[in-house]
Amino acid sequence: MKKIINKKYNKNEPWFKWLTRELNSYEAFQDFDSGKNPLDVAEDFISLNKIAISEVFENFDEEDKDTLDQFLKLTECEMHVFRMLEKQIELRNKIRYVDFKKRKN
């Protein structure tokens, strides 16, 4: 797997570790609070990191593409888990408990 070649970062750092670190330190929630949607936030992130990302692509090989494909699958899986959790919370909030032991006379 090729490494990032960017003087601003450790040149021996794999691109996916660099990307994860940068994404984790990016203040996306501030952008969401200001009304931006996830696509706009992603485009801002790409724009801010375009030089490092272009360096990643210069040396991108099949192993890197496989790694990217695995990350895409993992991200899609995570999205589905969060959506399922969201649905469970919505259902839980809709359920009303009835105590059948208490009868009206």
Side-chain angles (χ1 to χ4, degrees):
M1 185 175 312
K2 304 298 180 194
K3 310 292 181 210
I4 285 186
I5 304 165
N6 185 327
K7 293 171 183 37
K8 187 175 169 187
Y9 304 105
N10 177 353
K11 26 171 140 168
N12 295 319
E13 182 178 34
W15 68 266
F16 60 88
K17 284 188 179 181
W18 169 85
L19 181 62
T20 301
R21 182 173 42 77
E22 290 300 309
L23 279 169
N24 287 336
S25 66
Y26 188 69
E27 297 293 334
F29 290 108
Q30 290 177 353
D31 291 339
F32 297 144
D33 288 344
S34 70
K36 290 186 177 182
N37 65 44
L39 179 59
D40 292 334
V41 174
E43 288 173 347
D44 289 348
F45 176 82
I46 295 293
S47 179
L48 286 171
N49 293 286
K50 63 185 171 191
I51 294 172
I53 291 169
S54 69
E55 291 177 9
V56 168
F57 285 135
E58 285 177 16
N59 297 309
F60 218 69
D61 61 14
E62 282 303 311
E63 188 177 347
D64 291 318
K65 178 152 181 8
D66 290 341
T67 301
L68 180 60
D69 289 341
Q70 293 301 316
F71 273 110
L72 287 168
K73 289 175 189 174
L74 180 60
T75 303
E76 184 178 354
C77 176
E78 289 173 341
M79 182 197 68
H80 288 296
V81 167
F82 289 131
R83 294 281 159 99
M84 289 175 189
L85 292 173
E86 181 182 48
K87 285 181 182 179
Q88 288 297 315
I89 291 169
E90 288 173 6
L91 284 174
R92 191 181 90 193
N93 290 336
K94 290 181 182 180
I95 294 174
R96 296 183 187 236
Y97 295 97
V98 178
D99 187 354
F100 291 106
K101 293 177 184 177
K102 292 183 180 181
R103 290 186 163 187
K104 285 187 177 181
N105 291 332

